[in-house]
Amino acid sequence: MLHRALQRKDLPEVERLMLSAEAAVLLNERNPAGCTPLMVMLSQNTCSDALIHLALERGAIQSISCTSRKKHTAADYATMNHKHELAERIKAIAEGNQDGRPRCDRCCAILKPKSRCAHLEDCVSRGEETNPLLLELFQVHADAAGVLGSGLYHQVNCMKHFRKEVCEAMVMMDRWRQRVEQQSDWLVVDLCSGKGVTGCILGLLFPEVRVACIDLLDVSYVADDAHHYHANVTYHQLDVLSDRFLDNLEKLVVDSGRPRVGLLGMHLCGGLSEQAIRAYHQIEQVEICVLCPCCLPNKSGEFACSSWYESKDQQVQYRMWVEHLQRKMMESGQHEHMVVVEDADEILPPSAPAKKLNHSHDRAARKNTVIVGQRIVDR
């Protein structure tokens, strides 16, 4: 089937077959010339690099060192078609694959036999998952979820609390999506993105959107620019609390060429939440800010208010912190704003690991209030 689709140059069908459950078998079948689908793709000019990488992720690595009847390897076909960078990468994978362990086709990192995403998908298929946004990801966007579970996204699939991270990413994505019509106009900035789960999901579900992930983590620990199926996600190592951050963010916005910007901030502690709201008000292109604040500022810090700490009840403290941020979000300046506050406890897991929670502070420790600000703009 896959060879016939390649012969017809039916790329949508090629992609569908490579995302199917039979992909590992189809990608290692030979045609009469002894060529695997990967060899055929590398000898054609119609297949994008992203499609070739998908073939490698979905099982073509198993026969990556095989030769055709003409004694050519996949790397040879890449070289003959002037795909020199791909040729070198395939050679590196073939050499690293000699120990029999699966590897990432982008960086040759050793992959786990089964990703966290695949385990979560199994829970969904067994009916053990009830979160509506997770069900949407794995049932409505099954193809994208399949790619998310591939070796290409190994940097996020190794996360211990993967389900929690995906839940949070889906909430951020959903609150932005509800307020957007023409998605191709948008740059979405994920502040304090961590390893980049939100960026990965946004990039897969909305190929026409540009996504910028911002964090202090070294690029070696995150899903960097080379580890995305669509070339629409970038990582920027920036300090959100830096005096130069707003200038750096504004330059990033201008360089993107996108006229409309959404800011996402999941569990931003203290001054990070304040900085997100400053960016929302000060950068003209920012129209939407989706913020889920976390811990209060340090009691002696510049953002703190002594009245927040008069009560020893963490839930009361958090509520006062949220109300303060809501007021800050509504500061109109020269624009009118619509601000929505919602309790997302039903769809978000606790912000702290379960073993750190106790019954008396359970709700306070969750810190799952979502504040959405939207600037009213006449267009």
Side-chain angles (χ1 to χ4, degrees):
M1 290 188 290
L2 184 53
H3 276 293
R4 287 199 294 272
L6 285 168
Q7 191 173 13
R8 297 194 307 270
K9 298 183 179 178
D10 185 351
L11 300 187
E13 177 65 4
V14 169
E15 183 172 8
R16 187 192 70 79
L17 290 170
M18 289 199 297
L19 289 170
S20 70
E22 297 81 27
V25 174
L26 296 174
L27 281 163
N28 293 286
E29 290 179 341
R30 306 291 192 99
N31 65 11
C35 292
T36 63
L38 178 61
M39 295 175 186
V40 175
M41 294 169 75
L42 290 165
S43 63
Q44 294 178 346
N45 290 318
T46 53
C47 292
S48 66
D49 287 0
L51 206 59
I52 292 168
H53 287 304
L54 179 62
L56 291 166
E57 293 294 339
R58 297 293 290 170
I61 285 180
Q62 295 177 27
S63 55
I64 200 168
S65 300
C66 295
T67 58
S68 65
R69 289 182 182 272
K70 292 184 177 181
K71 305 301 182 186
H72 296 315
T73 65
D76 292 334
Y77 283 104
T79 300
M80 287 186 284
N81 204 24
H82 307 292
K83 299 178 182 288
H84 300 294
E85 185 177 343
L86 271 173
E88 291 304 314
R89 187 168 293 160
I90 289 169
K91 287 177 184 176
I93 295 170
E95 291 171 4
N97 204 40
Q98 291 176 358
D99 59 9
R101 291 184 290 182
R103 292 178 180 265
C104 172
D105 74 291
R106 306 290 174 97
C107 65
C108 294
I110 297 172
L111 306 177
K112 292 184 177 180
K114 191 169 186 177
S115 68
R116 300 270 186 181
C117 189
H119 284 292
L120 189 52
E121 185 176 13
D122 288 345
C123 291
V124 171
S125 63
R126 291 194 299 265
E128 298 171 1
E129 182 57 67
T130 58
N131 186 296
L133 290 176
L134 287 184
L135 294 177
E136 177 192 343
L137 175 62
F138 287 98
Q139 294 176 349
V140 180
H141 307 291
D143 287 352
V147 177
L148 182 64
S150 71
L152 179 61
Y153 291 91
H154 63 87
Q155 286 284 28
V156 298
N157 270 292
C158 66
M159 299 179 74
K160 184 177 180 180
H161 302 291
F162 182 78
R163 180 188 179 277
K164 171 181 175 290
E165 296 286 339
V166 175
C167 285
E168 293 172 352
M170 290 296 290
V171 168
M172 292 284 104
M173 177 278 296
D174 182 65
R175 274 40 180 183
W176 167 79
R177 174 183 60 180
Q178 291 175 11
R179 294 159 176 82
V180 170
E181 294 178 2
Q182 186 63 35
Q183 294 159 355
S184 59
D185 290 344
W186 286 82
L187 166 71
V188 179
V189 179
D190 184 21
L191 299 174
C192 302
S193 57
K195 282 183 171 286
V197 177
T198 301
C200 293
I201 291 176
L202 273 166
L204 285 169
L205 296 187
F206 305 101
E208 67 275 27
V209 170
R210 293 278 181 85
V211 184
C213 298
I214 292 176
D215 204 280
L216 267 177
L217 283 174
D218 185 82
V219 68
S220 61
Y221 294 103
V222 304
D224 61 18
D225 302 1
H227 287 78
H228 292 281
Y229 182 61
H230 302 292
N232 60 338
V233 184
T234 54
Y235 177 71
H236 306 267
Q237 189 177 8
L238 296 173
D239 181 358
V240 176
L241 292 178
S242 163
D243 293 338
R244 298 287 301 166
F245 174 70
L246 292 180
D247 292 334
N248 291 332
L249 180 58
E250 189 164 19
K251 182 179 185 304
L252 190 157
V253 167
V254 171
D255 290 347
S256 75
R258 296 297 174 99
R260 312 177 79 176
V261 177
L263 290 181
L264 309 182
M266 170 52 68
H267 289 149
L268 297 190
C269 293
L272 296 171
S273 288
E274 295 269 7
Q275 192 76 312
I277 294 175
R278 284 179 180 172
Y280 170 62
H281 284 302
Q282 293 183 28
I283 298 177
E284 185 66 25
Q285 296 91 329
V286 178
E287 294 184 21
I288 295 175
C289 180
V290 184
L291 174 65
C292 181
C294 195
C295 305
L296 280 69
N298 188 292
K299 192 180 292 189
S300 59
E302 66 169 299
F303 299 109
C305 176
S306 58
S307 62
W308 299 343
Y309 304 94
E310 291 175 357
S311 171
K312 299 302 180 183
D313 187 324
Q314 292 184 34
Q315 191 172 349
V316 172
Q317 292 179 0
Y318 183 67
R319 185 170 65 245
M320 295 178 71
W321 170 229
V322 169
E323 289 170 354
H324 163 77
L325 294 172
Q326 181 183 359
R327 288 192 297 271
K328 295 278 286 188
M329 190 89 77
M330 293 178 69
E331 290 179 354
S332 60
Q334 59 181 338
H335 295 285
E336 182 182 354
H337 300 268
M338 179 174 63
V339 178
V340 177
V341 180
E342 65 171 310
D343 185 344
D345 274 346
E346 297 300 318
I347 51 177
L348 277 173
S351 56
K355 65 182 180 181
K356 294 185 179 180
L357 302 181
N358 58 56
H359 293 296
S360 62
H361 293 94
D362 178 68
R363 286 187 61 81
R366 293 181 73 92
K367 298 182 175 65
N368 285 336
T369 298
V370 178
I371 309 171
V372 183
Q374 183 172 9
R375 182 182 297 167
I376 308 303
V377 180
D378 293 328
R379 290 189 180 273

